[in-house]
Amino acid sequence: MRVGVLASGRGSNLQAVIDAIEAGRLDATIVLVLSNKKDAVALERARKHGLTEVFLDPKPFAGQPDSREAYDRAVLDVLRKHDVELVLLAGYMKIVTPVLVKAYENRMMNIHPSLLPSFPGLDAQKRALAHGVKLSGCTVHFVTEGVDEGPIIIQAAVPILEGDTPEALAARILVEEHKIYPKAVQLYAEGRLKVDSRIVRVSGAS
Ligand code: GRF
């Protein structure tokens, strides 16, 4: 299965997927890592593992009236050129437009550091602590037009600890992210995910 990863930052989830593939736990090939940030650590990680990296500069698109859509059309061109079957958003700090969402309906995943539908958007861990929840975690979901709103594939729960800080909580959640993202991709690769309106049915689930 040909996977394309979109990432803007440190790329630890990308690394988790690379590691799972290299360890034989995930039947997939990363054919492309694309970033909107030239200096993204994710691109360095791709390079280190001999993967194709693409920096797609958003600047030339900025003046256009539909700049976000125009950028996504360019992203889509790159994804299609590499015959990408499944797209993974991994710390991709750009809201994807319907241009990409429609082209990759139920074939694009995202990972988010909260138990969705609680705390979508930025600073999820900080907002979870400020709200006083006792349990947080992370979610892998299919991407739809609403930010962090798509059908949920896998979640992992992480308890809040006494005296927790956003950084400490984020670090504990990240450990779980690195487990569930490769798992979700493997389920997809095995053809075990069926989206039934907003419910993801996992066949053969134990
Ligand atoms: C992760 O916490 C992920 O859930 C969120 O952005 C962060 C990306 O981290 N969407 P990394 O770049 O994968 O290390």
Side-chain angles (χ1 to χ4, degrees), residues 2 4 12 23 38 40 43 48 76 84 94 97 125 142 158 166 198 205:
R2 299 173 67 83
S12 71
K38 195 175 184 173
L43 291 181
K48 206 171 137 208
L76 192 53
V84 168
K94 241 178 163 322
T97 67
Q125 305 93 332
F142 283 115
V158 174
R198 74 154 297 116

Side-chain angles (χ1 to χ4, degrees), residues 71-181:
Y71 184 81
D72 276 358
R73 278 193 288 276
V75 173
L76 192 53
D77 275 353
V78 178
L79 295 174
R80 286 189 169 145
K81 207 173 285 164
H82 288 82
D83 293 322
V84 168
E85 296 168 273
L86 177 71
V87 178
L88 302 181
L89 306 186
Y92 185 58
M93 300 306 285
K94 241 178 163 322
I95 294 173
V96 292
T97 67
V99 170
L100 268 187
V101 173
K102 286 200 181 102
Y104 277 92
E105 193 184 6
N106 296 335
R107 298 194 300 144
M108 176 157 49
M109 295 181 183
N110 180 42
I111 184 143
H112 183 75
S114 77
L115 291 178
L116 291 172
S118 293
F119 311 112
L122 293 175
D123 294 327
Q125 305 93 332
K126 193 173 160 192
R127 287 187 291 124
L129 278 183
H131 199 90
V133 297
K134 306 302 180 206
L135 209 53
S136 186
C138 46
T139 304
V140 180
H141 63 92
F142 283 115
V143 176
T144 53
E145 286 175 30
V147 174
D148 300 325
E149 274 181 16
I152 292 169
I153 302 166
I154 306 187
Q155 294 184 300
V158 174
I160 306 296
L161 303 179
E162 194 62 40
D164 237 344
T165 61
E167 294 73 27
L169 175 60
R172 294 203 313 285
I173 291 176
L174 201 59
V175 173
E176 299 305 316
E177 292 185 33
H178 297 164
K179 294 180 194 162
I180 66 171
Y181 215 178

